[in-house]
Amino acid sequence: MIKITYYLDVISSWCHYVEPLWEELKSSYKEEVEFDWEITLIPANGLPGSAEEEEWYYRRSGMMTQQAKMLNATWVDPKVKEYLSPNLVAYAAKTLGENGDKVRVAIAKAAILDGKPISDLDTCIEVALGVCDINPVRLTEVALDPLTEQAIRKSTARFEAYGINQRPAFILESEIEDRAIFSGIVHREPLVATIEAMIDDVKSHRSWSAHMGSSWKDRAKI
């Protein structure tokens, strides 16, 4: 009935905060909703200039979302202007069939909970291999394949084309061509209410077609 695309950067703390909700939605609506995720790279002006700066933001976001544990900012590398490695490895794992979120979530936790230097590709590969059975050589090859970076930059461009700039973002699209966009939302209520409303609308249109023998598109009017 509906497809939800979750736009994220692996290192985003706000994406980390929303992961329990993402898992809840996948469990609650597995029959009605197709779930997918795409990378949208955080630009240089959205990255911390130092670990100390990131700690300030972690205190702010952690208190705003009532987290029980302070995040770890020691992964921050001030010389890095774009954290490609964690996103390349996560997307490579997805390409190789590991689309259960576990690789990208493991890399995110290794960074923002354990402080591991995930700007380093080998570190990301090591973390990924700890939660999946992908051949390490193949995972490295796909992560370094120019087509992988190209795919990430294309999904980043699609995200930017929506005119939004906050991560996490959720694009909800139904089979009757309704669309809802959430950017920066980490609360359950608005997402659940929208999913329920879109499902209900799809059911109504399916019922119409069953009783009237006509697609909703045949008589669509403004």
Side-chain angles (χ1 to χ4, degrees), residues 112-149:
I112 62 181
L113 294 182
D114 302 329
K116 290 190 176 182
I118 45 73
S119 59
D120 174 63
L121 186 78
D122 289 340
T123 299
C124 295
I125 294 289
E126 180 183 355
V127 172
L129 294 176
V131 295
C132 73
D133 296 323
I134 298 175
N135 179 282
V137 174
R138 184 61 180 143
L139 180 59
T140 303
E141 287 176 347
V142 176
L144 293 176
D145 189 327
L147 292 177
T148 299
E149 181 177 342

Side-chain angles (χ1 to χ4, degrees), residues 13-86:
S13 58
W14 286 97
C15 293
H16 169 72
Y17 296 144
V18 87
E19 289 298 337
L21 174 57
W22 180 243
E23 289 301 315
E24 177 192 337
L25 296 177
K26 288 196 300 177
S27 176
S28 299
Y29 297 101
K30 58 186 175 183
E31 301 299 328
E32 301 92 346
V33 179
E34 175 188 351
F35 293 90
D36 194 14
W37 58 269
E38 295 286 351
I39 300 293
T40 172
L41 293 167
I42 297 175
N45 61 8
L47 294 174
S50 66
E52 291 74 21
E53 181 183 344
E54 187 73 334
E55 285 175 356
W56 185 91
Y57 282 103
Y58 282 171
R59 292 189 187 95
R60 174 179 176 270
S61 64
M63 293 177 69
M64 291 175 68
T65 55
Q66 302 181 38
Q67 300 298 312
K69 183 178 181 179
M70 171 75 173
L71 299 184
N72 187 335
T74 56
W75 60 270
V76 173
D77 183 347
K79 302 185 297 297
V80 173
K81 302 303 179 184
E82 190 176 54
Y83 283 86
L84 263 178
S85 292

Side-chain angles (χ1 to χ4, degrees), residues 186-199:
V186 297
H187 294 291
R188 178 182 186 278
E189 290 76 11
L191 280 166
V192 169
T194 303
I195 291 170
E196 293 283 354
M198 293 179 81
I199 289 174

Side-chain angles (χ1 to χ4, degrees), residues 162-179:
Y162 284 113
I164 55 181
N165 62 4
Q166 297 298 320
R167 300 153 184 82
F170 300 93
I171 313 298
L172 290 71
E173 300 168 293
S174 79
E175 67 181 53
I176 58 172
E177 299 180 0
D178 289 342
R179 175 182 289 170

